[in-house]
Every structure is written in structure tokens, then in C-alpha cells.
Amino acid sequence: AQEFPNVKFGHCSGYKTAENVSTYFGKVYQARYLAGIAAGLRTANGKIGYVAAMQIPEVIRGINAFTLGVLSVNPAASVEVIWTNTWYDPAVEKQAALELLNKGCDVLAQHQDTTAPQIADQEKGAYAIGYNSPTPDAAPKAYMTAPLFHWDVFYVEDVKEILAGTWKSRAYWKGFENGQVSLDTLTANCAPGTAEAIDEVKAKIIDGSFEPFTGPLYDQAGNEKVAAGVRMTDEEIWNMGWFVKGVIGNASTN
């Protein structure tokens, strides 16, 4: 960017901006919260698993949002996390999924791009929440839904501003309100009443009357991290490095 000052750059999920560099991402944690509602209504024993990539805030806030969604409809449930320390490795992801399934989890979510955890779910008679792509064909007996990004929403807007000469550097982070993220169509594997429950919450997120990260929020040790009625700021959510109560696993970002 310094070498080519007349070129406009965009860094997906980045955090450093410059006069000719923007960052952009989607508030996919909103969709993860809704996916948590689907998982919480589907689980029979309250044991839900999460195959997670890297111990960074992006993944941690997704796990937290998902867990809060689960707990909103199933307060006695828990979400156990296994870290794979990879963004893409089907064999490692499937092994992590099998470990969670062997522990008794009957619904799994994931933060990787392969369908390996979903395939493991189907093999074990469990249910799956995917990620990034609609993948019901990969595991039709397991797949329920998936949080999705719609990068075209940002790209079209950004290019139009460049062409119009109105482009300015920014830290772009939007969600349901402009279609930057969504939740995939629910399949018949979801529990009855799931669509209605999700639609109600989604409408509140869009109109601003509900934010998933609103207190009271507690960490795993039961310490109050966010007071009742207080909404976390975008910056606090972006940099989240702790797990909410209800998550089983280590959130250390060291």
C-alpha cells in the first residue's frame, strides 16, 4: 500500500488501516447466535460440541455468540470446544469431531471450511451446523444450517465508491442489517419451532432492539464481565479473548 499510494486496498478480517487501506469483515457472530438457537432446540442431552480453528478473537467471539444462542433456549446445555489449530484439514477436523461425538455430544458446530465434521456427525447419528457454505448435500441427515458471509455486498459497495471518487479508508464491519451475513435455509433436521424462534430474534437484531453481547455476561469462572443491560462495543466484541459461562475449553489467546 505504501509502494502504490494510488491503489485502494482492502484487507479481509484485518485490523490495520491506512489512507489507502480499508479492512472489512461481516458480523457473522449474529448468525452464529441464531445457529446456537437451532442447536439448543435440537440437542437431546444438552451436550454440544464445537470444532474450532485457531485461538484468536474471531473464533472466540463466534463460539461465545453460538453458546449464548444455545443457552437462550436451553439454559442447562454446554458447548465443548476442541481446537484443531488449522483452518483447513479435513482429517484433523473429522478426528476432533469424532472425539466430541464419543464424549456424548449430539450436535456439533464448526469454524473451518470443510464438511468433515458434518460427515462425522452423520456417521454417528448426530446433527451439524456448518460454516461459510450451504452444504446440506454433504451430510443430508445431519446438516441443519450454517452461518454465511456475502462478500459481494461489500465488494459492490466498495467498487462503486472507487468509481464515484468517494472512497475513503474505513474499518467495515456489518451484519444482518445490510445482508453482509445470513443464516442458511433451515433443513428438516431442525427441531419444530426453530424457524419461528430464529426469525423473532433476527428481527430484533436487525431493528437494533437486541444485541447478542448484552449483559449480564459471565466468564467461565462465573465472574461478571459485562453488567446487566450493558452492550459490548464493537471494539470489545472484535477483541474478545475470553469464553462465556457455558463453554467447556480454554480460550487463551497467548
Side-chain angles (χ1 to χ4, degrees), residues 11-12 25 30-31 35 40 93 98 127 140 168 170 177 203 208 249:
H11 183 185
C12 179
F25 203 53
Q30 296 175 341
E93 292 167 39
L98 289 171
Y127 295 95
K168 292 183 179 179
R170 57 181 170 166
E177 73 274 13

Side-chain angles (χ1 to χ4, degrees), residues 51-54 83-90 92-93 111-113:
V51 181
M54 301 287 185
W83 298 103
T84 62
N85 296 312
T86 177
W87 292 109
Y88 186 96
D89 190 322
V92 171
E93 292 167 39
H111 192 131
Q112 289 101 351
D113 295 334

Side-chain angles (χ1 to χ4, degrees), residues 41-191:
L41 292 174
R42 179 74 278 176
T43 181
N45 61 13
K47 299 180 70 172
I48 297 170
Y50 203 111
V51 181
M54 301 287 185
Q55 289 171 283
I56 61 173
E58 175 190 336
V59 182
I60 290 170
R61 68 172 170 264
I63 294 167
N64 283 340
F66 176 78
T67 301
L68 292 173
V70 169
L71 297 179
S72 72
V73 295
N74 195 335
S78 62
V79 176
E80 183 167 355
V81 176
I82 288 184
W83 298 103
T84 62
N85 296 312
T86 177
W87 292 109
Y88 186 96
D89 190 322
V92 171
E93 292 167 39
K94 187 172 185 181
Q95 184 56 45
L98 289 171
E99 185 175 339
L100 290 165
L101 293 165
N102 289 336
K103 288 184 175 183
C105 295
D106 60 0
V107 180
L108 298 188
Q110 66 181 80
H111 192 131
Q112 289 101 351
D113 295 334
T114 82
T115 56
Q118 300 161 47
I119 292 170
D121 288 330
Q122 180 160 292
E123 291 174 355
K124 293 291 187 178
Y127 295 95
I129 304 291
Y131 181 50
N132 263 343
S133 301
T135 53
D137 293 343
K141 295 180 181 179
Y143 180 88
M144 295 194 294
T145 187
L148 306 175
F149 289 99
H150 299 280
W151 300 115
D152 56 305
V153 172
F154 167 77
Y155 292 138
V156 170
E157 179 182 323
D158 205 54
V159 170
K160 283 183 176 179
E161 291 180 2
I162 292 172
L163 294 174
T166 59
W167 188 95
K168 292 183 179 179
S169 173
R170 57 181 170 166
Y172 176 102
W173 198 30
K174 296 185 179 181
F176 285 143
E177 73 274 13
N178 75 331
Q180 183 65 40
V181 302
S182 73
L183 188 69
D184 190 23
T185 303
L186 303 179
T187 72
N189 294 321
C190 292

